[in-house]
């Protein structure tokens, strides 16, 4: 299978339970909940997206004709002189990575020594073999992936209240304040929720604070 990739870059994971960890981000093009066009946002199933996932024109992006070529491209982004004890980590994100991520690519990344993480909206089944599954549910959608390592809920989301998800089989549960004009108020509300229900942790988008992509 071929893969349409918006961008590939090396950075620090800015969100969630792995925040601060060096990682190669592979941003797949396309999402099943929004076209990515502003004119469609008001009628999209997911309306608060802050990511450009259309096309393949970002830094390091492109079409890759097979899994090995994409895996080699990702591996080339990991620092060549990194200590071998540091396990290379790739975050497959999007857009919605489940539209393209498959067993062949996971195997090829593993062959390059990578631990494979995914950040998905959870509405599509994921292939087996992923090392870190992070699901970010969206209001009004049916969650297909109901277990994993990390549940990262953008808060607040009418129709996607934390109570709906707190019982699912995720090791970490994170409330991430919605990043809009009311972000300060959302952060306060998310912190209050975590204080009232310690099964949740507050998740801040660290990369935005430190100016990383
Ligand atoms: S599901 Fe994720 S990638 Fe898709 S539109 Fe929503 S926030 Fe953006």
């Amino acid at each position: 299978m071929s893969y349409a990739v918006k961008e590939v870059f090396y950075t620090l994971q800015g969100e969630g339970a792995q925040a601060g960890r060096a990682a190669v981000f592979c941003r797949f093009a396309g999402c099943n909940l929004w076209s990515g066009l502003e004119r469609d946002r008001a009628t999209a199933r997911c309306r608060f997206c802050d990511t450009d996932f259309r096309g393949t024109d970002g830094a390091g992006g492109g079409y890759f004709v097979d899994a090995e070529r994409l895996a080699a491209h990702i591996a080339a982004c990991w620092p060549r002189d990194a200590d071998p004890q540091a396990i290379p980590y790739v975050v497959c994100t999007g857009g919605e990575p489940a539209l393209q991520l498959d067993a062949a690519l996971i195997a090829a990344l593993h062959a390059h020594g990578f631990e494979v993480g995914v950040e998905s909206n959870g509405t599509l089944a994921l292939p087996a073999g992923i090392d870190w599954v992070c699901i970010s549910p969206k209001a009004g959608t049916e969650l297909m992936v109901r277990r994993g390592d990390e549940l990262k809920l953008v808060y607040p989301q009418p129709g996607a209240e934390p109570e709906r998800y707190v019982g699912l089989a995720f090791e970490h549960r994170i409330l991430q304040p919605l990043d809009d004009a009311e972000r300060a108020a959302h952060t306060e509300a998310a912190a209050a929720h975590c204080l009232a229900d310690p099964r949740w942790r507050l998740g801040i988008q660290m990369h935005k604070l430190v100016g990383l992509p």
Side-chain angles (χ1 to χ4, degrees):
M1 144 164 188
S2 62
Y3 306 88
V5 175
K6 173 72 183 183
E7 55 185 348
V8 177
F9 56 97
Y10 179 61
T11 188
L12 300 180
Q13 168 61 284
E15 303 178 355
Q18 300 262 22
R21 182 176 179 182
V24 179
F25 271 63
C26 176
R27 185 178 311 290
F28 288 98
C31 180
N32 60 329
L33 300 184
W34 179 40
S35 68
L37 295 169
E38 283 304 324
R39 65 166 184 259
D40 297 334
R41 189 186 282 273
T43 53
R45 296 173 73 197
C46 179
R47 297 178 190 171
F48 56 75
C49 190
D50 59 2
T51 305
D52 178 7
F53 54 75
R54 279 181 59 81
T56 59
D57 56 346
Y63 281 102
F64 296 83
V65 296
D66 60 35
E68 175 47 34
R69 279 181 222 214
L70 178 52
H73 180 65
I74 289 168
C77 293
W78 188 255
R80 290 158 66 103
D81 53 357
D83 189 289
Q85 287 193 331
I87 298 171
Y89 186 46
V90 58
V91 178
C92 298
T93 185
E96 176 44 57
L99 292 168
Q100 301 190 61
L101 182 60
D102 60 2
L105 182 56
I106 294 168
L109 289 164
H110 282 160
H112 279 274
F114 273 79
E115 215 173 280
V116 180
V118 70
E119 293 186 346
S120 165
N121 60 37
T123 60
L124 302 168
L126 290 169
I130 298 168
D131 302 296
W132 185 270
V133 173
C134 172
I135 298 298
S136 185
K138 304 297 183 282
T141 65
E142 191 185 347
L143 211 52
M144 292 277 294
V145 184
R146 301 175 72 82
R147 61 175 56 244
D149 299 284
E150 176 181 5
L151 186 80
K152 188 173 64 187
L153 183 63
V154 173
Y155 183 87
Q157 268 191 82
E161 292 75 18
E163 295 70 27
R164 292 176 185 252
Y165 308 104
V166 75
L168 299 180
F170 289 86
E171 193 174 338
H172 305 275
R173 299 177 200 86
I174 292 174
L175 287 190
Q176 183 171 293
L178 176 63
D179 185 11
D180 65 5
E182 311 295 321
R183 186 178 61 186
H186 300 328
T187 304
E188 213 173 294
H193 191 95
C194 295
L195 285 166
D197 184 350
R199 292 174 295 181
W200 294 92
R201 295 185 201 176
L202 181 64
I204 300 296
Q205 291 182 294
M206 191 185 74
H207 56 296
K208 293 181 179 175
L209 297 178
V210 298
L212 287 169

